[in-house]
Amino acid sequence: MGEFTLELNEDQKQVRDWLHGFAADVMRPAAAEWDEREETPWPIIQEAAKLGIYSLDFYAQQFFDPTGLGIPMAMEELFWGDAGIALSIVGTGLAAVGVLANGTEEQIGTWVPQMYGDANDVKVAAFCSSEPDAGSDVASMRTRAVYDEAKDEWVLNGTKTWATNGGIANVHVVVAVVDPELGSKGHASFIVPPNTPGLSQGQKFQKHGIRASHTAEVVLEDVRVPGHCLLGGKEKLDDRLARAREKAKSGERVKNAAMATFEASRPAVGAMAVGTARAAYEVALDYARTRVQFGRPIIENQGVAFQLADMATQIDAARLLVWRASWMATAGKPFTAAEGSMSKLYASEVAKTVTAQAIQILGGNGYTREYPVERMHRDAAIYTIFEGTSEIQRMVISRALAK
């Protein structure tokens, strides 16, 4: 277990600078084009794969960094480059985390490599949890998985929504109800292998921000997957359901598979928000230093300077919360005060505030697409929504305080 530190080691600094170079030289010049096209930036993903950024090895190295800072550091730099393109690069990671959190060693070794492909034939993966009537309210999930014992197959039916890479993914990880009487405790996660009949893409969403990332519905119609595609295996599921039934009688709370995935990823989402906020702040700072009004740079006006001071302070505070939560998760320290939700909540709100302030500092220029801050502001809106809205984070935090 690594000690908590605010100083990156030399290896981490090298990785940070490497990622920053990719973000500055490859992602930023292409950001406006792919935002306008609203398409998956396959050439950028392939370039990331050739360099080793989009790969299982790189993701694993950062995930298993003993300090816990590998993932948040990587997320901040990539999302500093561009949120839409970055989400296309890292979106597969949520599905990978779903397998890492709930799968067996054999399942991890079999399916996670197939999520990425290789530099010559890149693939993506999708984590499918949300539904049209079940976003934050996971207990309302309707997608069903029924076990066909005679064939040792699970049959999945339902519709998922808001799925990053949904329908274009090589591997889909689908959360479904296996015991409706247990509500959210009766959920399980399944691998849907490539080219499985019955899985199709539904509506592709045209979004306010992160438009270079593919978001769509996933429709499941009598999708049959082998028994070994149940993450964790049937014996483990049966044991968990039996315990859930017993605990339900006593009123004790039980976590479900989808929530385990989201809890593991919330500090990473906070780091994404920090990256976007930092990018907008840097644009505003540079503009304020060079924009001359009434004979002097506008940064010499207290109204602008104080805004920038607040922006810098909020970004640093958000990063500290993210780093603490990331270190705690790696060190195995429980989030007794909902530290993971705190980091995601605060960083998400900071991203919205800072990007809005950046537009204000740039004035009319900030409102145009000639400058990137309007895109950053559109992108920032997603952080307070996906993987648990700000309202859900506040609910989690308040429940922790009430214990």
Side-chain angles (χ1 to χ4, degrees):
M1 180 179 73
E3 294 297 322
F4 181 65
T5 176
L6 299 178
E7 179 67 27
L8 299 178
N9 60 43
E10 288 305 313
D11 288 342
Q12 291 169 328
K13 289 177 181 177
Q14 289 181 9
V15 172
R16 178 198 61 192
D17 294 344
W18 173 51
L19 292 172
H20 188 81
F22 176 79
D25 299 338
V26 180
M27 295 172 66
R28 282 208 165 175
E33 175 189 353
W34 290 102
D35 178 70
E36 290 289 344
R37 291 174 64 170
E38 296 192 56
E39 296 175 0
T40 301
W42 291 107
I44 310 296
I45 298 174
Q46 187 168 34
E47 184 67 20
K50 288 179 179 178
L51 294 173
I53 296 171
Y54 184 76
S55 70
L56 173 59
D57 288 343
F58 174 75
Y59 188 83
Q61 287 173 10
Q62 305 315 310
F63 188 83
F64 292 111
D65 181 333
T67 69
L69 301 185
I71 289 293
M73 176 196 67
M75 294 300 105
E76 180 176 338
E77 293 305 323
L78 291 173
F79 280 76
W80 172 90
D82 178 68
I85 294 176
L87 192 57
S88 287
I89 293 173
V90 308
T92 294
L94 184 58
V97 167
V99 177
L100 290 168
N102 302 298
T104 64
E105 290 187 8
E106 182 179 358
Q107 288 170 330
I108 292 169
T110 298
W111 297 112
V112 176
Q114 294 187 49
M115 294 179 173
Y116 290 90
D118 57 49
N120 296 316
D121 184 21
V122 293
K123 305 292 185 183
V124 294
F127 183 76
C128 307
S129 177
S130 294
E131 296 183 4
D133 296 320
S136 299
D137 182 11
V138 294
S140 296
M141 190 177 294
R142 296 180 180 177
T143 297
R144 289 293 309 276
V146 178
Y147 185 57
D148 184 341
E149 189 171 1
K151 295 183 178 180
D152 186 27
E153 292 179 339
W154 289 90
V155 184
L156 279 61
N157 282 282
T159 299
K160 294 296 180 178
T161 194
W162 312 122
T164 299
N165 299 328
I168 66 171
N170 194 46
V171 176
H172 291 76
V173 178
V174 177
V175 182
V177 178
V178 294
D179 189 333
E181 294 182 1
L182 290 175
S184 63
K185 303 177 184 68
H187 295 175
S189 296
F190 299 85
I191 291 285
V192 180
N195 303 314
T196 298
L199 184 147
S200 63
Q201 178 183 307
Q203 175 186 5
K204 178 187 174 182
F205 296 103
Q206 293 181 303
K207 304 188 299 296
H208 177 64
I210 54 167
R211 301 200 303 192
S213 173
H214 177 97
T215 309
E217 290 181 331
V218 174
V219 180
L220 304 139
E221 297 179 308
D222 292 329
V223 173
R224 287 183 168 267
V225 299
H228 61 76
C229 288
L230 166 64
L231 289 181
K234 192 158 188 313
E235 182 177 348
K236 182 178 179 181
L237 172 65
D238 290 341
D239 288 344
R240 179 168 63 81
L241 293 178
R243 292 197 304 272
R245 293 185 189 103
E246 289 299 317
K247 290 181 178 181
K249 295 177 183 178
S250 64
E252 187 175 347
R253 296 175 61 86
V254 181
K255 291 182 179 180
N256 63 64
M259 289 300 100
T261 300
F262 289 138
E263 285 180 9
S265 63
R266 277 172 181 159
V269 176
M272 298 174 189
V274 171
T276 299
R278 189 183 111 211
Y281 161 74
E282 290 176 2
V283 173
L285 178 62
D286 182 65
Y287 187 88
R289 286 170 171 169
T290 57
R291 174 68 166 173
V292 176
Q293 291 286 279
F294 303 104
R296 61 180 182 178
I298 62 173
I299 197 170
E300 294 183 14
N301 297 316
Q302 199 173 76
V304 173
F306 280 15
Q307 282 192 74
L308 289 165
D310 286 343
M311 293 158 75
T313 302
Q314 290 165 352
I315 291 167
D316 271 9
R319 183 184 296 109
L320 291 175
L321 283 171
V322 167
W323 281 20
R324 179 185 69 169
S326 300
W327 171 77
M328 289 178 67
T330 299
K333 294 183 178 294
F335 290 155
T336 55
E339 289 87 351
S341 289
M342 283 183 181
S343 70
K344 198 267 188 186
L345 168 65
Y346 188 72
S348 298
E349 297 292 345
V350 164
K352 286 182 66 175
T353 300
V354 166
T355 54
Q357 287 176 310
I359 291 177
Q360 191 69 23
I361 290 171
L362 269 67
N365 287 327
Y367 199 65
T368 72
R369 295 191 182 183
E370 293 299 313
Y371 288 80
V373 290
E374 72 83 27
R375 184 180 69 250
M376 294 169 181
H377 184 52
R378 288 189 284 109
D379 292 340
I382 193 61
Y383 300 127
T384 61
I385 298 172
F386 72 175
E387 295 196 48
T389 64
S390 288
E391 291 74 22
I392 290 294
Q393 307 310 320
R394 290 184 174 98
M395 182 180 72
V396 172
I397 295 166
S398 63
R399 283 177 174 174
L401 297 177
K403 289 182 180 178

